[in-house]
Amino acid sequence: MTSPFLLELKYSPLRWWLPLLLTIDLGTLFGRSQAWIGVWPEASAAAQLPAAFLAPGLATASAWAAARTSRHNVHQHLAASRHPRWRIEGAQLFATAAYGLLPYMIGVIVAAGVSYGEAGPGFLWPSYILLGASMVVLGAGLGHAVGRCATRSQFFAPVACGLLLFFSLLFAGGSDLLGLTALNGPPEFELSPLAIFARAASSCIVVAAALCIRWENWKDIRFGWLRTLGAAVSVLACIITASLATVPLAVARPAPDGALCTDGRPSICFWPEQRRFLSDAQLMSDRAASLPRELMAPKSFHEEGLRDDQGTRFLLLDGELWFVGESMASRIVHESSPPYCEATNANAENRRDKAYMELIAWTTIHIMGKVQPVTVHGGPPVDKAAVARVAKRSIEQQHAWVRERMRIIKETPCG
């Protein structure tokens, strides 16, 4: 005889929505920056992120499916079934969760496949994948509980459940308070095992509570003490596990024994997981070595988490090396300039600041070998077009321009 779970899989309306769920997963995976490709922790976080969109949809679907017992008034039929009530409802809930986990795992496999050729040794980090799976199961369990409780609401309760979960993830998912999702996966951090356990346990407890609590029994004062105790324990367990879920999701990793560094001076060092950026960084290092003698570069720069030196650290944001070049340029100009002192008047202060920021902008262009990409915003508050025109002049003219800015900085009268 076919099991209730297989019957639910066969007849669940979600089978028709499976292509849409897969589209949502892959659209989330590739619809934003694709800098995660080739970096295992970033790819792991990217593969996990679609769960934040799948979970609210599953919560809505699960709430709708769970309420069908009340809609069709089949409580007596379920009571007379040869299968235990929890098994029938469990088959319904797990079938819904399966239709969420299937597109999620397909997305994980795709993320691993597109990263494998560039990322080198290693693989996806299981902690991120488990975090996303926990979110999918949590959505299904929460929706089932809402569907069992809101017996008189056919539309409002399922939709409200999905929207509430969506906005909870949207506004609090990446914070240290809840940390239900990871927006990115910088290699200097890893997910806390305790935090992952707490979030996985929360999902399991919500599922268990959704299957054990009988809303229709609350109207009957004769329901057994065992069910009362079970409901109380479920609520208490949810509170305790929710408290554990406040454990910060990400914790700092210890620095590796061997960072990946470019040759020459200055050297640019990365976490081993960032190996795909090493060849481009080598070109940046070579160009930094050809700076005019007025600009003195430190002997090395290190990605965040590799060293404690605040001045030579950099962040590789969204896989954009421009931010690395900008951090290097800022440090180079800082070390090449005399110690700061307050200028005697506002005009002198503004003139020095302008020369200082122009030097940072020019040095960044020189290190990167190109002007600032249109996809990158921010940077020193200067006329970037004017600095870009300077970068197109002859080497002699550019060096003369640099010397003039350095003269302005060094000769600023101080009070």
Side-chain angles (χ1 to χ4, degrees):
M1 182 177 292
T2 304
S3 68
F5 174 70
L6 294 179
L7 287 175
E8 288 289 347
L9 281 180
K10 182 177 181 180
Y11 294 108
S12 172
L14 280 176
R15 70 188 189 278
W16 303 114
W17 293 92
L18 193 58
L20 177 61
L21 295 176
L22 182 58
T23 301
I24 292 173
D25 189 288
L26 297 181
T28 305
L29 188 63
F30 293 103
R32 57 182 196 139
S33 171
Q34 298 179 21
W36 55 267
I37 297 176
V39 181
W40 285 127
E42 292 285 4
S44 304
Q48 161 271 161
L49 190 57
F53 297 90
L54 294 174
L58 282 185
T60 302
S62 185
W64 171 266
R68 69 184 182 186
T69 300
S70 298
R71 287 198 303 270
H72 300 294
N73 196 24
V74 293
H75 296 293
Q76 294 181 351
H77 293 80
L78 291 178
S81 172
R82 61 186 296 269
H83 297 291
R85 178 72 175 270
W86 66 265
R87 183 179 177 186
I88 297 175
E89 292 195 9
Q92 182 185 83
L93 194 160
F94 295 143
T96 301
Y99 276 111
L101 290 173
L102 179 59
Y104 173 71
M105 292 309 300
I106 291 176
V108 169
I109 294 171
V110 171
V114 298
S115 292
Y116 189 80
E118 294 186 49
F123 199 63
L124 296 177
W125 292 12
S127 55
Y128 285 96
I129 309 307
L130 181 57
L131 177 66
S134 299
M135 179 53 54
V136 172
V137 174
L138 176 64
L142 182 63
H144 191 89
V146 169
R148 296 296 299 118
C149 295
T151 56
R152 296 183 179 181
S153 177
Q154 297 186 24
F155 300 101
F156 176 76
V159 173
C161 177
L163 290 176
L164 179 62
L165 182 57
F166 175 76
F167 285 110
S168 298
L169 296 174
L170 181 65
F171 292 111
S175 70
D176 288 337
L177 177 63
L178 293 178
L180 297 175
T181 58
L183 300 181
N184 49 42
E188 64 265 27
F189 292 101
E190 61 185 355
L191 300 188
S192 164
L194 177 60
I196 295 299
F197 170 78
R199 286 150 180 81
S202 297
S203 300
C204 294
I205 289 177
V206 168
V207 168
L211 295 179
C212 293
I213 295 177
R214 294 287 173 268
W215 175 252
E216 61 270 15
N217 289 333
W218 290 99
K219 300 178 181 179
D220 186 356
I221 60 174
R222 295 174 298 176
F223 66 89
W225 64 269
L226 187 59
R227 289 180 177 176
T228 306
L229 179 62
V233 170
S234 297
V235 172
L236 180 62
C238 287
I239 294 174
I240 294 174
T241 311
S243 299
L244 286 175
T246 61
V247 176
L249 185 60
V251 294
R253 295 175 66 200
D257 294 332
L260 293 180
C261 300
T262 60
D263 297 326
R265 179 171 178 172
S267 61
I268 308 174
C269 299
F270 297 88
W271 284 81
E273 290 81 5
Q274 306 275 35
R275 58 178 55 86
R276 79 178 182 92
F277 299 104
L278 197 61
S279 58
D280 290 334
Q282 182 64 59
L283 298 177
M284 294 168 57
S285 176
D286 295 340
R287 286 190 288 263
S290 67
L291 286 167
R293 55 187 176 84
E294 288 79 10
L295 297 175
M296 299 176 295
K299 65 179 182 180
S300 62
F301 294 90
H302 296 82
E303 189 177 4
E304 186 75 27
L306 292 177
R307 281 198 179 181
D308 294 331
D309 184 5
Q310 182 69 31
T312 60
R313 291 189 298 183
F314 62 83
L315 283 172
L316 183 55
L317 300 173
D318 293 328
E320 180 53 70
L321 287 171
W322 180 268
F323 299 117
V324 179
E326 203 167 66
S327 295
M328 293 173 61
S330 179
R331 185 61 182 179
I332 289 171
V333 174
H334 174 77
E335 292 201 355
S336 304
S337 304
Y340 174 79
C341 62
E342 187 174 352
T344 55
N345 56 74
N347 288 335
E349 184 78 26
N350 293 336
R351 192 163 177 257
R352 179 178 60 185
D353 289 346
K354 182 174 182 290
Y356 191 92
M357 294 301 173
E358 286 178 339
L359 273 179
I360 292 178
W362 178 87
T363 305
T364 305
I365 293 175
H366 180 85
I367 291 173
M368 299 305 300
K370 61 181 181 180
V371 298
Q372 183 169 326
V374 295
T375 55
V376 176
H377 305 285
V382 297
D383 186 345
K384 294 182 175 60
V387 177
R389 288 193 294 270
V390 172
K392 294 180 180 179
R393 299 175 185 174
S394 66
I395 296 297
E396 293 77 11
Q397 291 176 321
Q398 292 184 58
H399 286 196
W401 184 88
V402 169
R403 287 193 293 269
E404 174 63 18
R405 268 68 197 161
M406 289 301 302
R407 184 191 66 78
I408 293 174
I409 294 173
K410 292 179 178 180
E411 294 182 1
T412 297
C414 297

